Amino acid sequence: DHHLTSDTSVSGGNPDPNGNGFPEENSPTILNLTPHNAVGIAKYATVPELQPNGTYNVTYMLTLKNFGNDTLKNVTVVDNLLAAFPDPFTYTIIAPPQTNDTLLFVNPAFDGNTNPNILIPSAGNKMYKDQRDTIIFKLNIFPHGATTATNTAVISGIGAFSGITVSDISTNGFNPDLN
């Protein structure tokens, strides 16, 4: 002797949301598909290595993260080295930016001055949700008596679904955050 019972679902975990003792009511389960766009960047500098000619070699590592649930397109990373190393500093890029990511295209013309774009702006750079990437480059710096330099990089991108532009200024270290 088999009995067939059926019930239409209700939204949530309570089968009788109004508490009237009749769990037969039904209401639709609501799903909001709202894109959330957020990106972060961190910048780390190694301890400067003194060279025999009085200059210093420094390796920079940029860690990028898409914190959102939407793919970011037209991703750019800008690093104005001239602002970081004003007179009397001078610098030379001895190892250009590199990344292992096939969706980020480094700019071979990056000089941190007239061309501060680490990524090729027109290359269609993308970052998928939760994607984390690293960009590394190395400088030789001649301080000419200066002792301190500070620097930040900026990442930006456009949500592929939402069309919303997001950006972030780098934080010090390896862990990007949303500042």
Side-chain angles (χ1 to χ4, degrees):
D1 175 4
H2 298 280
H3 297 282
L4 181 60
T5 305
S6 68
D7 182 37
T8 305
S9 70
V10 295
S11 181
N14 183 356
D16 186 17
N18 66 1
N20 67 359
F22 299 99
E24 297 87 27
E25 304 103 344
N26 60 63
S27 62
T29 300
I30 299 169
L31 175 63
N32 288 318
L33 300 174
T34 304
H36 169 71
N37 296 307
V39 68
I41 185 171
K43 186 171 186 178
Y44 173 79
T46 60
V47 174
E49 300 170 10
L50 180 60
Q51 303 301 298
N53 64 356
T55 64
Y56 293 86
N57 287 347
V58 178
T59 300
Y60 285 97
M61 181 186 315
L62 304 173
T63 306
L64 325 172
K65 175 141 172 124
N66 180 354
F67 286 98
N69 65 1
D70 191 1
T71 297
L72 292 176
K73 63 180 185 174
N74 300 334
V75 175
T76 62
V77 176
V78 176
D79 195 345
N80 185 343
L81 297 176
L82 190 60
F85 303 111
D87 278 341
F89 286 100
T90 56
Y91 67 89
T92 304
I93 297 173
I94 56 175
Q98 298 176 20
T99 182
N100 291 332
D101 188 295
T102 58
L103 298 175
L104 297 176
F105 302 95
V106 294
N107 181 1
F110 167 74
D111 64 8
N113 180 1
T114 59
N115 195 335
N117 295 301
I118 291 178
L119 301 177
I120 300 171
S122 60
N125 297 296
K126 291 183 184 177
M127 289 185 74
Y128 292 112
K129 74 177 192 83
D130 296 322
Q131 184 174 340
R132 185 181 184 106
D133 289 305
T134 303
I135 298 171
I136 297 173
F137 63 95
K138 190 172 188 177
L139 300 180
N140 176 263
I141 303 164
F142 189 17
H144 296 279
T147 58
T148 304
T150 59
N151 176 243
T152 57
V154 178
I155 185 171
S156 64
I158 300 169
F161 180 74
S162 69
I164 296 171
T165 299
V166 291
S167 64
D168 185 48
I169 299 171
S170 63
T171 188
N172 186 35
F174 297 105
N175 296 312
D177 62 7
L178 302 171
N179 56 357

